[in-house]
Amino acid sequence: MTSRIVGTGSYLPETVVTNDDLSKIMDTSDEWISSRTGIRERRLVKEETTASMAAEAAKRALENAGVSADEIDLIIVGTITGDYVTPSTACEVQAAIGAEHALAFDLNAACSGFMFALSSAHAYLQANLANAALVIGVETLSKIMDWNDRSTCVLFGDGAGAAVVKRDEVGLSGLDLGSDGAKGMVLACPNRTNNNPLVQTDKALGYTYMDGQEVYKFAVTTVPESIHKAVEHAGLEIGDIKYFALHQANIRIIQSVAKRLKVSVDKFPISLDHCGNISAASVPILLDEMNQKGMLERGDKIVMSGFGGGLTWGTAVLTW
Ligand code: ACO
């Protein structure tokens, strides 16, 4: 017995911001952004919140799965941009969709958030601690960007993706997850600093900092290794895999991973051109787009892989 994804859903904010739109408010260009990253536009929130996007993606995933909110007994949300420190985004989603029987909590693994949440849901399901899980990746990254720092803010977007997961005979067959906290500061965003009667504090909140070249080196070495381990764990070979649904950070990372795996880049679907990098949300949004386009047939072998802040990485092999 394992766990299977039985439905997917996603939500992108209404407002599209193209590279040309950005070039009107900062010193950048469509040529610089698209040639280095593959990103052409992203969606940014106006009225939407992290919880509202997550709830909408969840409703769409439930509808796609033919599962009612009442049946859901576990909600795990991967996010670093919840609207509140407490309640968690998962608890907000629970209330918004009426999943009153669910245990709900958030998990912080940055761009690996959906993969860590999926593997946690799998563990709950296999331990009979839950029967039907909603696994969500959601980010409002635009609120933790320094919009005066053109080297980071142009890369990211907002959105949510969700999957319904249940026990089944086929589904997840290989997993590889890991963390390297010693390299955490190459991609970091500070939280509130100490603030009490004993400590003088500068109350300004910090924004996202990234050493892009270090992140690139980490991704192109760790991701192919992780995919090899997960595929081996599943008892498969790289050639058995129909699609590789990777975290959508940068087209160059994806091309390099494809090259290192000796796989055609055509097997790596892309959403970063119209979404940008949405951290924990990018893998489930991509999966939902593949599902909605009819690219996935029952029995297909698929790899999903997330990687980023922490540093963290997580790869799953699944049979659709
Ligand atoms: N528009 C125009 N010029 C820019 C911009 C911009 N938006 N941003 C930076 N520049 C300039 C810099 O100021 C610099 O100019 P200088 O040479 O006069 O000093 C020049 O472009 C080169 O800057 P670098 O930061 O060295 O750019 P690099 O070629 O390394 O590309 C990039 C940056 C695309 C982020 C690259 O490092 C990369 O691909 N990193 C991979 C990591 C990544 O994609 N992270 C995403 C998030 S992390 C994750 O999800 C895992």
Side-chain angles (χ1 to χ4, degrees), residues 36 64 82 94 110 131 140 207 229 242 259 271:
R36 280 172 179 77
N64 182 247
Q94 176 192 25
N131 292 308
T140 311
Y207 292 104
K229 285 182 192 163
K242 184 170 178 187
K259 198 170 167 195
S271 62

Side-chain angles (χ1 to χ4, degrees), residues 64-143:
N64 182 247
V67 168
S68 73
D70 207 39
E71 288 176 65
I72 296 296
D73 51 11
L74 176 66
I75 302 172
I76 309 181
V77 175
T79 189
I80 55 170
T81 50
D83 303 315
Y84 296 92
V85 174
T86 189
S88 66
T89 301
C91 283
E92 289 192 89
V93 169
Q94 176 192 25
I97 67 172
E100 57 189 52
H101 306 299
L103 162 70
F105 63 91
D106 289 0
L107 172 159
N108 175 341
C111 309
S112 311
F114 180 79
M115 302 311 302
F116 278 42
L118 179 65
S119 65
S120 302
H122 173 61
Y124 271 77
L125 291 168
Q126 296 312 303
N128 284 321
L129 293 171
N131 292 308
L134 251 176
V135 180
I136 302 170
V138 59
E139 301 292 3
T140 311
L141 293 175
S142 58
K143 66 186 177 188

